[in-house]
Amino acid sequence: MKEKHAFMDAIWRILLFLWALTILFPLAWVFYESLKSNPEFFQDIWALPTELQWKNYTKAWNQYGFGQSLLNTLYYVGGSLVLGMFFTTLNSYALTRMEFKGRKVIWGLIMLSLFLPGVNALVPQYVVMRELELTNSLTGLILLSSLGESVFYLMLLGGFMSSLPKELEESATMDGATLFQRFWRVVVPLSTPGIVTVAVFKFLGFYNNFLGPFIYLSDPKKYPIAVQMYSANKQMEYTADWVTLFAGVTISMIPCIIIYILFQKLLMEGATMGAVKG
């Protein structure tokens, strides 16, 4: 029996190693391809660079606009994340911790939206954005992204908040705390792992959002990283400067890697606790 368990444990370790390799190898491949010269890339895509071409990053940052697009992305993602998390946290608290007439009906309508294709809202959203003169504007895109609530995030954070003991708020009420004080000083601190989990998911969604910026932005100087990547890829059809494109891809990966390193522990804690308690 022990030999069987040891054999299965070894199999799982090998599978996990192969799974990690499928993630890490493409990242490493893109990185060392970005340090080649263009002739080296076309000669052998698997060979290591003979001389490191760090100038590819300077070229990607300036000539292909990845520097400006990264700044645009930080502004767009930062604004959308702050406003979006504020509204998501408030909505989750109101729908899970407060008792009011019609709450179950509202939850039912929110759940119903899961079955409606999001693409159906593109035309009316564009008409509204155009009438409000918010097209071709990163600020308008922030408002659209942050005010458009996601059912998945409400369910995730709401499930986490609903698992908190109600006695904590009752004790705060007896001590004279207002509704906002109970929300801000009791529920929010205890929900930090869930809030961080939702914030990371939102960050990745905003950061990788292509369709929204592609539809609403017409000025290339306002493109976020996802649209700029598409634009640079189209340019490669005529220039074939692939190593510079790989440098741009590497630049675009850096913020996501930093976020993962900083919030890995809270992200895992929030995901597991939400799965158990929610």
Side-chain angles (χ1 to χ4, degrees):
M1 183 65 69
K2 292 183 178 179
E3 294 180 354
K4 183 179 180 181
H5 283 297
F7 175 75
M8 293 302 298
D9 184 62
I11 293 296
W12 278 114
R13 288 177 183 273
I14 293 173
L15 290 176
L16 287 173
F17 173 75
L18 293 175
W19 176 74
L21 193 62
T22 59
I23 297 176
L24 296 177
F25 177 74
L27 300 180
W29 182 78
V30 168
F31 176 67
Y32 77 71
E33 289 296 331
S34 69
L35 297 175
K36 287 183 177 181
S37 64
N38 228 31
E40 285 180 326
F41 172 77
F42 285 105
Q43 287 173 5
D44 188 354
I45 64 171
W46 302 112
L48 294 174
T50 56
E51 184 179 352
L52 302 182
Q53 303 291 329
W54 294 105
K55 63 182 180 180
N56 293 335
Y57 285 86
T58 304
K59 191 176 180 181
W61 186 272
N62 296 320
Q63 184 173 332
Y64 287 93
F66 280 93
Q68 182 62 47
S69 66
L70 187 60
L71 295 178
N72 295 338
T73 302
L74 294 177
Y75 172 67
Y76 159 61
V77 174
S80 300
L81 193 59
V82 171
L83 285 177
M85 283 307 304
F86 175 74
F87 290 120
T88 298
T89 307
L90 281 180
N91 293 336
S92 300
Y93 177 78
L95 291 170
T96 57
R97 308 291 296 185
M98 297 175 61
E99 296 291 340
F100 56 90
K101 189 175 182 180
R103 182 172 67 92
K104 293 184 178 180
V105 176
I106 295 175
W107 255 121
L109 293 174
I110 291 174
M111 294 300 105
L112 179 63
S113 65
L114 280 172
F115 301 92
L116 301 177
V119 70
N120 291 344
L122 287 179
V123 174
Q125 280 181 352
Y126 185 84
V127 172
V128 172
M129 292 283 286
R130 184 187 62 190
E131 293 300 318
L132 294 176
E133 298 183 355
L134 293 176
T135 56
N136 197 30
S137 168
L138 286 171
T139 303
L141 202 60
I142 289 174
L143 294 175
L144 178 65
S145 300
S146 58
L147 295 177
E149 189 60 88
S150 170
V151 182
F152 170 73
Y153 300 138
L154 280 178
M155 292 176 59
L156 183 61
L157 187 54
F160 192 93
M161 285 185 174
S162 63
S163 65
L164 299 176
K166 292 186 176 181
E167 291 77 9
L168 296 173
E169 285 191 86
E170 293 173 356
S171 299
T173 302
M174 294 178 62
D175 291 337
T178 63
L179 176 63
F180 182 77
Q181 288 174 333
R182 297 198 305 268
F183 163 72
W184 187 250
R185 297 184 179 180
V186 178
V187 176
V188 169
L190 293 175
S191 303
T192 299
I195 293 173
V196 171
T197 301
V198 173
V200 171
F201 284 144
K202 275 182 174 284
F203 170 84
L204 294 175
F206 294 143
Y207 192 83
N208 296 310
N209 184 18
F210 170 79
L211 188 60
F214 185 72
I215 292 175
Y216 294 106
L217 299 178
S218 57
D219 186 357
K221 294 182 179 179
K222 298 180 180 179
Y223 284 168
I225 200 74
V227 182
Q228 186 63 33
M229 192 80 65
Y230 171 80
S231 177
N233 184 59
K234 298 298 289 184
Q235 294 182 49
M236 293 304 115
E237 297 179 3
Y238 305 98
T239 61
D241 190 9
W242 296 105
V243 292
T244 304
L245 180 62
F246 283 129
V249 172
T250 305
I251 291 172
S252 69
M253 291 190 298
I254 292 175
C256 294
I257 295 174
I258 293 174
I259 291 295
Y260 174 76
I261 293 174
L262 293 177
F263 298 104
Q264 178 187 9
K265 185 177 180 180
L266 283 174
L267 179 61
M268 295 301 296
E269 182 182 351
T272 54
M273 291 181 69
V276 173
K277 294 182 179 181

